[in-house]
Structure formats: structure tokens, C-alpha cells
Amino acid sequence: MFELAKYGEVNMKQAKVLNEKELSKLFKVCEITNYVERNKLIVAFSYYGGLRAMEIANLNVSDILSPTNKVNDIIVLSKEQTKGSKRNVVHVGKKLERMILRFISKYPNTIHNKGKSLFRSQKGEGFTSQTIQNLFRNLYKLANIQHASSHSGRRTFITNL
């Protein structure tokens, strides 16, 4: 990830931008995992919402669902949920909305856990940023996509804007 330049400077390599074929391959790989809809939604938040791994990990059910259990058009992440202690607003497009609805139909108890993490382990604990990063690493490996990272979704999202 880091590269030494002349005179000892450190340059960060930018995350890989995925093309449509690679993104399609990534979603197909999700289908052979144990948690298909969960993994697809995590990928969708990265690629269709532009969220960082830590922001995905910090999502709560109440961030995505209104009190009447409708998918919010806008997700407002508090400064505690984001990098740099700044609030972040995420617009929920049609693709992301469909993925959220599929996730909720697969895991209907989600709507009863408004104050809890959206993504939880089998033990019921919320995912961490590292958990999300590891998931992306495993998905990219299964999809045989080289040089991609958990930040590739955000970079692809921003590039496509």
C-alpha cells in the first residue's frame, strides 16, 4: 500500500477502481458465500453509497430505516460513525435501496433491532472496520480481482460520479 519515493517520501497508492465487469464478478462471488444478502449489501454500501469500511461497520438499523420501517432516502452518519469526526450524508439510490430491501426480506428481524448494528456476527456483536476489510479481501480473492482493497468501492463510486 505504501511506496517509497525519492528522498524518503512516502506515497500512498490509490485504491483500484473497478469496472462494471469486475463489479458484476464481485456480486456473483457473494452468491457462493454463506451470507449472500449480507455480503451483497456490504458491497453495495461501498460501491453504490461510497462508504468506507468503518462507516459500513458503524451503520445501525435506525440509520437505514425510518420509524415506519421504510428505507430512508438519505442516511446521516454521525461524526462518531465516520472518519475525521465529520458528519456524512449518504443518498440512497435505487440500486442500494433494492439491496437493502432484499437484505431485510432475508433477515426480517432486522426491523426489530433499530438501535443495533446493521451487520452483526453470529455472536450478535457488531462488525468492526477490520471485519469489513477482511470480508472485502476474501471476496476479491474469490473473484480473482487483483490490487483491490476495501477502499476500492468508495473510489469507484467517487470516480463514477
Side-chain angles (χ1 to χ4, degrees), residues 95-106:
K95 288 180 182 179
L96 183 54
E97 181 182 20
R98 280 194 301 271
M99 302 294 270
I100 292 169
L101 291 171
R102 271 191 230 140
F103 177 81
I104 291 168
S105 69
K106 176 71 176 177

Side-chain angles (χ1 to χ4, degrees), residues 46-58:
S46 182
Y47 284 88
Y48 300 140
L51 272 68
R52 296 175 175 93
M54 74 171 291
E55 294 167 342
I56 295 169
N58 289 330

Side-chain angles (χ1 to χ4, degrees), residues 77-139:
L77 299 174
S78 69
K79 63 182 183 178
E80 293 79 20
Q81 292 173 290
T82 65
K83 178 182 175 185
S85 298
K86 291 184 182 177
R87 199 171 69 111
N88 188 10
V89 177
V90 179
H91 296 273
V92 178
K94 294 296 177 194
K95 288 180 182 179
L96 183 54
E97 181 182 20
R98 280 194 301 271
M99 302 294 270
I100 292 169
L101 291 171
R102 271 191 230 140
F103 177 81
I104 291 168
S105 69
K106 176 71 176 177
Y107 303 103
N109 287 336
T110 300
I111 61 174
H112 303 296
N113 295 309
K114 290 271 174 80
K116 295 189 177 178
S117 294
L118 178 60
F119 301 111
R120 288 175 287 157
S121 68
Q122 288 179 332
K123 295 178 184 177
E125 299 167 0
F127 276 25
T128 64
S129 177
Q130 190 62 55
T131 308
I132 300 293
Q133 290 173 40
N134 292 343
L135 174 65
F136 273 109
R137 188 177 307 108
N138 291 335
L139 291 173

